[in-house]
Amino acid sequence: MLDQADKHLAVARTEQARETAAAKVAATADEHLRVLSLSDDKSCLALRLSGTSLKEHKELKKQAEADRAAGWREGIDARMAARRAAADAWKTVRESPYASVLDATEHRVPDVDTLAARLTEMCQTKVPARAQQKDAGDQKRLARFNATATAAREAASMYQSAADDARTERALRGRIAQQHPELHRAETRARTEVQRAQQAQAARIEQQNRRYEPPAASRSGPKLGR
């Protein structure tokens, strides 16, 4: 985007140089006219004595006037072309998605010199600063992703370990059931009794909590008489 803007700026600079050259041509022709005008009141004899003639004098003036007019026209054309190129350069930046970041949101087109300074600032200061900011944000996001991935790996390892333990326990119980059926039945009864005892204890605690829960009236506080 900035490269494209620089291309438009280069065109504007070229047109500025053309305007300057055209202005010099017009100024030279104007000076020539000024010198020729000094001989406007001279007679044909005086002109002949000075090495020219009335006809040649008129032709020289006509040519100088044409050169001056051509210089003025070319200067105007070059000035307008420079403005259009500058407007194209500014439009390229202003209508880009990065206009706010580059501080290029105003609609008024800067002059060519100001535009050149602004584009240089964007290229050397604003773009590197934005890139550094984006890199810092990317690094933070990458750190968060790495932390999430690490936590996920740790959780997966824990679940895998638990699954391995469960499979090992099932395999062990299977071997015990095959090789020592009485021991397996005793162990199963013991586990069942422990689970029932735990469930009974939990039920008693819940019942006690309900028993000591204050009535709704006492929780809401005493009522005041009228």
Side-chain angles (χ1 to χ4, degrees):
M1 177 267 297
L2 288 178
D3 289 341
Q4 186 62 36
D6 283 335
K7 290 180 181 179
H8 290 304
L9 177 62
V11 173
R13 289 296 198 192
T14 301
E15 294 300 331
Q16 272 191 328
R18 185 164 71 94
E19 180 186 1
T20 300
K24 289 181 179 179
V25 171
T28 300
D30 192 59
E31 176 62 18
H32 196 191
L33 276 173
R34 187 188 68 79
V35 173
L36 289 172
S37 297
L38 297 177
S39 300
D40 284 347
D41 296 334
K42 289 183 178 181
S43 62
C44 293
L45 179 60
L47 290 174
R48 189 174 295 278
L49 290 175
S50 63
T52 184
S53 65
L54 180 60
K55 180 180 179 181
E56 184 180 10
H57 179 74
K58 290 181 179 180
E59 289 177 351
L60 289 174
K61 285 190 65 176
K62 185 177 180 180
Q63 183 61 47
E65 289 173 349
D67 291 343
R68 182 177 64 180
W72 285 346
R73 285 195 301 271
E74 185 167 0
I76 293 173
D77 290 343
R79 188 181 310 117
M80 297 299 295
R83 289 178 180 175
R84 287 194 298 270
D88 290 339
W90 187 245
K91 181 180 179 181
T92 300
V93 180
R94 181 172 55 82
E95 294 186 355
S96 74
Y98 313 103
S100 298
V101 175
L102 298 176
D103 191 22
T105 56
E106 65 268 24
H107 288 268
R108 184 174 180 271
V109 180
D111 60 78
V112 176
D113 293 335
T114 302
L115 176 61
R118 295 283 295 276
L119 292 179
T120 299
E121 180 187 13
M122 293 175 190
C123 185
Q124 296 181 358
T125 303
K126 294 187 180 297
V127 170
R130 175 59 177 171
Q132 184 177 4
Q133 182 183 11
K134 188 175 184 301
D135 289 342
D138 291 342
Q139 290 176 358
K140 290 181 180 179
R141 285 193 292 273
L142 181 60
R144 289 197 298 269
F145 294 154
N146 287 336
T148 302
T150 300
R153 286 194 296 270
E154 292 176 352
S157 178
M158 181 184 66
Y159 295 146
Q160 183 64 41
S161 177
D164 292 342
D165 292 343
R167 284 193 294 269
T168 301
E169 182 180 359
R170 283 197 300 271
L172 180 59
R173 291 182 185 280
R175 287 198 299 272
I176 292 175
Q178 292 176 358
Q179 299 174 6
H180 306 284
E182 291 297 330
L183 178 60
H184 175 67
R185 285 192 291 271
E187 191 271 340
T188 302
R189 286 195 300 270
R191 283 192 295 110
T192 302
E193 291 176 359
V194 170
Q195 291 177 355
R196 289 175 179 174
Q198 291 175 344
Q199 293 173 355
Q201 183 180 8
R204 287 195 300 272
I205 293 174
E206 183 179 359
Q207 186 176 4
Q208 290 176 357
N209 290 336
R210 291 180 178 177
R211 183 182 305 168
Y212 290 106
E213 183 177 359
S218 61
R219 288 200 305 269
S220 62
K223 296 183 179 181
L224 298 178
R226 294 183 179 272

